[in-house]
Amino acid sequence: MKADALEQLFIEYYNDALLYSLSLCRDRSNAEEIVATAFFKALSTIGEINDFKAWLLTVCRNTYISNCRKQARYTELHEYLADDSEDLIDKIIKDDEYKALYHAIGHLPKEQNEVITLFYFENLSVRSVAQIMGKKETAVKVLLYRARVNLRKLLEG
């Protein structure tokens, strides 16, 4: 693959992958490491995939899960989930309404947070979200419904 094409893929999908990884791990340095590893893995199999963005986010998720498993062997969970990503999120998301929404999404249960991020912020189809999360499409639809209900409660309250 040509360097220009690789650079274009990186430019086009880096911010999406970083924002998604931040929503998973809540740590900038870990998110950047996840994205770098995911790009390497995703680009090494680029000839075999149809939807690069969905594949990249799947690799990000799997890399995050692998890192959590490795990290759990060495540290306590509360040390690993340090929440110092707030400043970065504020820089990325400038509109106040979106800031409030994104912070409310951060208070959702993990799966609901992930499904909302993938569906609305990454603009992926239900089928792609189901593929990334390893769930059936109906399960993703139910998660989306429950997440919207919980978001409405959080934003109204």
Side-chain angles (χ1 to χ4, degrees), residues 9-10 13-14 17 34-44 52 56:
L9 283 173
F10 186 80
Y13 297 116
Y14 179 78
I34 288 169
V35 172
T37 303
F39 261 103
F40 177 75
K41 289 178 181 177
L43 290 173
S44 66
F52 183 75
L56 176 64

Side-chain angles (χ1 to χ4, degrees), residues 4 9 14 21 44 47 72-73 75 83 96 100 103 127 132 152:
D4 292 338
L9 283 173
Y14 179 78
S21 296
S44 66
R73 295 180 198 142
T75 61
D83 192 8
D96 287 336
H103 290 295
R127 176 173 284 166
I132 290 169
R152 186 177 307 123

